[in-house]
Amino acid sequence: MAQSTIISRILDKANEDAANIKNDSKEKAQELKKTIQRKSDEQISQMENDFDRKMQDLEERSELIFHLEARKNRLLKKRELIDRAFAQAKEAMNHLPEKDWSVLIAEIVASSSRTGNETIKVPEKDYEKYQSGFLSTLNKGLKVNGLPGKLTLDSDPAEFEAGILLEGDHYDINGDFEVLLQQVRDKYEREVAAILFEDRDEA
């Protein structure tokens, strides 16, 4: 009888331990499941945040590229308009009325001649003007300014389309209209841009 009671107690204890172990295992399994679920949720949330951030970066980069392209296109358009304005100015200078042409050439000579003895080179189409008295007019103007007034006309024509070249012993003064216009462009291009686009953003 005593032996049976001992065995019964041992079995009860074993069953109780087994039940405790089972409960502990179940609790640990539940905790492990929760931990795995939490980490999984955290990783998914992190992945979503990374994705959203990358998409935002991509959108911002795309928007920046769009604005840069738009600005580039605006600048190119403005450059075309400025080029056209100076091209029209060049065309006008190459076909000045006789009176305006004479005044401009005289101003170039008066401001550029250092000795009054230079040789001048001009486009072939202008030879007749100089030979018909304009060269004499230029020399008279130099004499008024206190220079000898002994400019001579080179028999070889200048290679440019319009203007005048003064050749001294140790210097040349380039009065090519295209060169003069380029100098004006270099100096005043921003001002021209401001005039062309005064109602828009700065060039």
Side-chain angles (χ1 to χ4, degrees):
M1 183 70 177
Q3 185 177 5
S4 175
T5 300
I6 293 172
I7 292 173
S8 177
R9 288 180 178 176
I10 291 173
L11 290 175
D12 289 343
K13 178 63 175 172
N15 289 331
E16 183 182 347
D17 290 344
N20 289 335
I21 291 172
K22 183 177 180 181
N23 289 333
D24 288 344
S25 297
K26 187 179 292 185
E27 289 177 2
K28 289 180 179 178
Q30 289 294 331
E31 290 178 3
L32 180 60
K33 180 180 179 182
K34 290 179 181 178
T35 300
I36 293 173
Q37 184 65 46
R38 187 178 68 255
K39 289 185 177 180
S40 176
D41 291 343
E42 289 175 354
Q43 289 178 349
I44 291 174
S45 178
Q46 183 64 44
M47 291 173 63
E48 289 176 345
N49 290 335
D50 289 344
F51 178 79
D52 290 341
R53 187 170 61 253
K54 288 180 180 178
M55 287 299 296
Q56 184 177 354
D57 290 344
L58 181 60
E59 289 174 0
E60 290 176 354
R61 191 176 299 117
S62 299
E63 186 176 356
L64 176 61
I65 292 173
F66 173 79
H67 285 304
L68 288 175
E69 282 296 320
R71 175 173 171 77
K72 176 183 175 183
N73 290 334
R74 287 198 304 272
L75 290 176
L76 286 174
K77 188 63 178 178
K78 290 179 180 181
R79 173 62 57 186
E80 289 176 5
L81 291 173
I82 291 172
D83 288 344
R84 192 182 308 164
F86 277 98
Q88 291 173 352
K90 176 186 174 183
E91 183 68 15
M93 287 186 71
N94 288 341
H95 298 88
L96 285 173
E98 188 73 22
K99 181 179 179 180
D100 295 335
W101 175 87
S102 301
V103 170
L104 180 56
I105 293 293
E107 288 179 350
I108 293 173
V109 171
S111 62
S112 303
S113 179
R114 299 177 185 175
T115 65
N117 296 305
E118 292 90 354
T119 299
I120 62 172
K121 234 177 192 181
V122 301
E124 187 172 3
K125 65 182 178 62
D126 293 334
Y127 262 68
E128 185 177 347
K129 298 177 185 178
Y130 287 89
Q131 293 171 336
S132 297
F134 188 54
L135 178 59
S136 177
T137 299
L138 293 177
N139 279 322
K140 288 178 181 178
L142 291 179
K143 289 178 180 178
V144 171
N145 290 336
L147 295 175
K150 294 183 178 180
L151 299 177
T152 56
L153 184 62
D154 195 320
S155 59
D156 294 326
E159 296 180 358
F160 46 78
E161 186 175 355
I164 186 171
L165 173 68
L166 282 75
E167 296 179 325
D169 292 335
H170 306 290
Y171 60 91
D172 293 338
I173 304 296
N174 193 346
D176 175 357
F177 284 179
E178 185 171 358
V179 171
L180 297 177
L181 187 60
Q182 185 59 49
Q183 292 173 351
V184 170
R185 177 169 185 164
D186 293 341
K187 186 175 182 180
Y188 297 109
E189 184 168 0
R190 287 188 65 83
E191 293 182 23
V192 172
I195 293 171
L196 288 174
F197 311 112
E198 58 184 353
D199 295 328
R200 308 177 192 178
D201 55 326
E202 187 176 337

